[in-house]
Amino acid sequence: MTAPLLALQNLSKTFRSHGHAVHAVQDVSIDVAAGECLAIVGESGSGKSTLANMVLGILAPSAGEIRYDGQALPARRTLAHRRALQLVQQNPLSALNPKRSIGASLRLAFDVHRIGDRAGRTARVGALLEDVGLPADFAQRPPAALSGGQRQRVAIARALACDSRLLVLDEPTSALDVLVQSRILRLLADLRAEHGLTYLFISHDLAVVRNIADRVAVFEKGRMVELAPTDRLFTAPEHPYTRRLISAVPVITEDEITMRDQLAHGAA
Amino acid sequence: MTDPVLALHDLRLAFKGFTGTTEVLHGLSLSIDRGERVALVGESGSGKSVTARIVLGLIQEMRGAKVSGRLRFQGQDLDRLPKRARHGLRGTAMSMIFQDPTSSLNPAYRIGTQFREVLARGTPGITAEAATARATALLDEVAIPQPDRVLAAYPFQLSGGMNQRVMIAMALANEPALLIADEPGTALDVTVQAQTLRLMRRVVEQHGTAVLFISHNLGVVREFADRTYVIYRGRIVEHGPTEAVFHTPGHPYTRALMAAQPRITGGGVPEIAERDAQYGDPMVVHPTGAAAGAGA
Ligand SMILES: Nc1ncnc2c1ncn2[C@@H]1O[C@H](COP(=O)(O)OP(=O)(O)O)[C@@H](O)[C@H]1O
Ligand SMILES: Nc1ncnc2c1ncn2[C@@H]1O[C@H](COP(=O)(O)OP(=O)(O)O)[C@@H](O)[C@H]1O
Ligand SMILES: [Mg+2]
Ligand SMILES: [Mg+2]
């Protein structure tokens, strides 16, 4: 195996609140290969967002190291690192300034990251919107005029604006209707293939993860309890918590019910 | 043959706003028999919550809302009912559970106090002892350990799953004929949600309560409901026994919803159109046992 693009080494994060310690992330080590989609699943409070924030440099680890492209990431990220590692959130509206047009928000990303010259940036905004399946003239619209799915496309466009290599996607489709979700998942899969992107895909939805991730890391109360290729995790989960999570997914087909029942019996 | 618990006929709703009138429901009909669990499933904005709020009589009180159609509850025309009688139904003959249990309980009062208030709606003047005894029995039914400690607690001291169970117990406190559950458990974790739904299914079965179960989640609906209505942009596009709707979905919109639902068995996610002329096709109706002549 070639060197991983991202390596989390014995990563921990402890918060102190009201005098006691909250171990949000405990001793987590994962190598993420370039081009891989690694899913992080777990219930609320399991430490998914804390992990994401450490990867993005928003939170400093209490212990351990994050290596990117073979080098330890410093606590204060360089511009190049901030460009390379980008976040896509669950609720894109909170990430977009309501007073700014979509185009202005995207152009700001170019300005911040000093990409291209002034004239070139407007043209790039149009190209970027088309990359995520939106017409170029959406640049003139305010965020409020967009549907949930369109906003998520804009958020993805912004994350791609500075030739990023790794996207941290924190519940990117959780707020979307299932038809819209199917289209965003397809867009994400296409973009990953086209641009050779690496994804850290955070989700509580195991059915989504099943269909988009190469590998899955299962978190329970800050600890990674299982890490396995997606097929294996769903056909032969080893940890009882993984089995519990899969068995709780509400499903719609006979095949899924059969699979779930088999897992439940395996657990007994 | 007995009257259905709830029968909505040709329900229409429009909101008047600054920019004109927006029609939200376009002639929706739906019925629920005694003790039946019926789901209303569809995407956000399709008109599920407004339907529930019309049944409760809440939308009719809003300025700018125009409601028409027939609403029958246990054989009574709800719109002919005097206002006070109409109000009196809420929390007694019909009750409701909302999506977020923690925020729909009053944070300022202990669970026990809120429980007594709910019970007093059904039994005016109920004594503190009788209320506590009844609340304890109800909490016990929804598998809450140490009900006395829960009754003494404030909502924020309990987990989301615990609060959801409290809500279920309260909603059943006055033995309603109809329970409306609007996206129950959506704010909870999957394992807790699965437990809560199983529990809710059990207690409504025991009490013989009819349920209007509102959800955007097909899987949850499949596990909970006897019959399912699929709503798309203010219109029912398909309905029938849950088995039939899921096994042989007939309407293009229902099929799209099902195709877009990611499977835990894998197979990828096909890209499905958000909008399609076919989603406006005529309604598909699956025969129910009774309509097929088997009626019991
Ligand atoms: N800033 C903070 N201060 C104190 N505790 C925190 C903070 N952020 C997160 N936590 C706690 O850390 C744990 C993990 O939280 P989080 O990473 O947000 O979980 P997830 O994203 O999986 O829901 C939780 O117990 C949470 O309450
Ligand atoms: N008070 C209101 N004023 C104007 N429009 C409303 C109001 N309440 C709901 N709507 C609109 O009615 C439609 C149906 O809403 P709702 O029943 O809440 O949908 P859902 O199926 O997600 O529960 C939506 O388009 C919504 O914007
Ligand atoms: Mg989170
Ligand atoms: Mg709603």
Side-chain angles (χ1 to χ4, degrees):
Chain A
M1 192 177 153
T2 53
L5 182 69
L6 182 77
L8 313 180
Q9 297 179 343
N10 306 103
L11 207 57
S12 294
K13 179 72 192 180
T14 303
F15 294 105
R16 315 244 157 236
S17 86
H18 305 294
H20 61 260
V22 178
H23 301 288
V25 172
Q26 287 188 74
D27 197 25
V28 169
S29 299
I30 313 174
D31 284 347
V32 187
E36 184 180 21
C37 177
L38 179 92
I40 311 263
V41 302
E43 296 189 291
S44 61
S46 59
K48 305 181 298 294
S49 294
T50 303
L51 187 85
N53 286 332
M54 288 193 282
V55 169
L56 292 162
I58 297 165
L59 281 175
S62 308
E65 194 171 66
I66 303 171
R67 298 179 72 82
Y68 176 78
D69 225 359
Q71 287 179 340
L73 281 175
R76 281 196 75 91
R77 299 289 163 85
T78 62
L79 186 61
H81 285 140
R82 278 189 277 133
R83 271 188 202 171
L85 304 160
Q86 291 280 330
L87 171 69
V88 177
Q89 286 166 284
Q90 172 177 355
N91 182 355
L93 198 58
S94 65
L96 292 167
N97 185 332
K99 297 206 183 96
R100 232 177 241 138
S101 71
I102 296 302
S105 277
L106 292 174
R107 208 154 40 237
L108 193 69
F110 293 140
D111 295 342
V112 168
H113 293 284
R114 305 197 198 103
I115 290 166
D117 57 22
R118 283 185 171 283
R121 285 176 191 166
T122 306
R124 285 183 77 129
V125 165
L128 201 52
L129 285 171
E130 280 168 4
D131 261 3
V132 296
L134 293 174
D137 65 11
F138 264 53
Q140 271 88 52
R141 305 197 185 181
L146 269 54
S147 70
Q150 290 168 341
R151 282 175 202 151
Q152 198 52 290
R153 285 173 193 268
V154 171
I156 293 166
R158 200 170 59 164
L160 295 174
C162 37
D163 299 320
S164 47
R165 293 180 61 195
L166 186 143
L167 298 193
V168 175
L169 300 137
D170 196 349
E171 304 275 4
T173 63
S174 300
L176 303 175
D177 281 313
V178 64
L179 298 184
V180 184
Q181 168 175 275
S182 76
R183 297 167 60 82
I184 297 292
L185 291 176
R186 171 53 59 91
L187 172 70
L188 287 171
D190 290 348
L191 288 171
R192 179 159 75 107
E194 267 165 46
H195 299 263
L197 296 167
T198 304
Y199 289 167
L200 211 55
F201 191 99
I202 295 174
S203 179
H204 70 276
D205 189 332
L206 273 84
V208 165
V209 159
R210 169 65 160 136
N211 290 284
I212 190 155
D214 299 314
R215 284 192 304 157
V216 183
V218 180
F219 276 59
E220 183 190 19
K221 296 178 187 146
R223 291 185 183 279
M224 182 168 75
V225 297
E226 186 157 3
L227 171 65
T230 307
D231 273 337
R232 202 170 76 215
L233 189 101
F234 281 87
T235 51
E238 286 181 9
H239 197 279
Y241 181 68
T242 309
R243 278 200 292 265
R244 270 219 291 145
L245 275 184
I246 299 174
S247 316
V249 178
V251 299
I252 63 168
T253 63
E254 295 301 325
D255 289 354
E256 290 175 291
I257 297 166
T258 307
M259 175 185 148
R260 232 178 39 175
D261 289 349
Q262 277 164 0
L263 287 183
H265 287 131
Chain B
M1 201 181 145
T2 56
D3 282 313
V5 170
L6 181 73
L8 310 180
H9 181 71
D10 198 26
L11 201 60
R12 291 167 193 276
L13 167 65
F15 287 108
K16 275 186 231 114
F18 297 117
T19 51
T21 303
T22 320
E23 284 180 34
V24 168
L25 297 177
H26 313 272
L28 179 145
S29 299
L30 169 160
S31 80
I32 304 177
D33 280 334
R34 279 184 51 194
E36 200 185 19
R37 293 181 298 267
V38 171
L40 182 59
V41 65
E43 64 193 32
S44 61
S46 56
K48 305 182 296 296
S49 294
V50 291
T51 301
R53 293 168 64 81
I54 289 173
V55 173
L56 291 168
L58 298 171
I59 299 271
Q60 292 86 332
E61 295 175 354
M62 288 175 60
R63 285 185 56 214
K66 193 171 166 293
V67 180
S68 71
R70 260 183 101 192
L71 285 154
R72 287 173 71 80
F73 179 68
Q74 298 188 298
Q76 288 178 301
D77 251 317
L78 282 181
D79 291 320
R80 301 233 180 96
L81 230 50
K83 221 176 182 165
R84 280 194 51 192
R86 181 84 217 251
H87 269 268
L89 293 175
R90 270 183 236 154
T92 57
M94 53 169 85
S95 63
M96 178 133 179
I97 300 176
F98 296 93
Q99 170 174 355
D100 183 357
T102 308
S103 68
S104 44
L105 289 164
N106 191 327
Y109 296 99
R110 293 178 198 276
I111 301 291
T113 314
Q114 301 189 50
F115 228 118
R116 175 137 42 103
E117 230 170 75
V118 169
L119 285 164
R121 278 186 74 81
T123 317
I126 187 169
T127 64
E129 293 76 48
T132 304
R134 177 94 178 104
T136 305
L138 284 157
L139 290 179
D140 197 52
E141 270 192 66
V142 295
I144 286 185
Q146 298 180 291
D148 44 336
R149 284 187 57 181
V150 168
L151 287 173
Y154 290 94
F156 71 86
Q157 293 172 316
L158 304 175
S159 69
M162 233 12 139
N163 279 324
Q164 184 69 268
R165 289 184 195 197
V166 169
M167 285 294 302
I168 294 170
M170 278 187 188
L172 294 174
N174 294 316
E175 297 290 342
L178 176 69
L179 170 67
I180 302 175
D182 193 353
E183 309 263 8
T186 311
L188 303 174
D189 276 321
V190 278
T191 54
V192 184
Q193 187 188 40
Q195 268 169 13
T196 311
L197 286 176
R198 268 200 303 272
L199 195 134
M200 187 164 128
R201 209 189 136 109
R202 203 191 65 216
V203 291
V204 296
E205 232 163 32
Q206 281 164 357
H207 288 247
T209 319
V211 184
L212 175 59
F213 184 86
I214 290 175
S215 180
H216 67 278
N217 187 316
L218 288 172
V220 160
V221 162
R222 201 203 116 266
E223 285 178 22
F224 189 85
D226 306 318
R227 253 179 344 111
T228 297
Y229 288 82
V230 182
I231 183 171
Y232 176 65
R233 304 186 101 189
R235 284 191 175 83
I236 300 297
V237 295
E238 179 156 6
H239 71 95
T242 303
E243 279 268 334
V245 172
F246 279 77
H247 196 252
T248 47
H251 195 278
Y253 177 69
T254 316
R255 288 190 189 160
L257 276 186
M258 300 221 181
Q261 176 67 42
R263 313 280 202 257
I264 57 164
T265 41
V269 181
E271 193 172 2
I272 309 291
E274 254 172 83
R275 299 262 175 265
D276 192 303
Q278 283 189 61
Y279 297 168
D281 279 5
M283 179 160 71
V284 173
V285 181
H286 299 261
T288 60

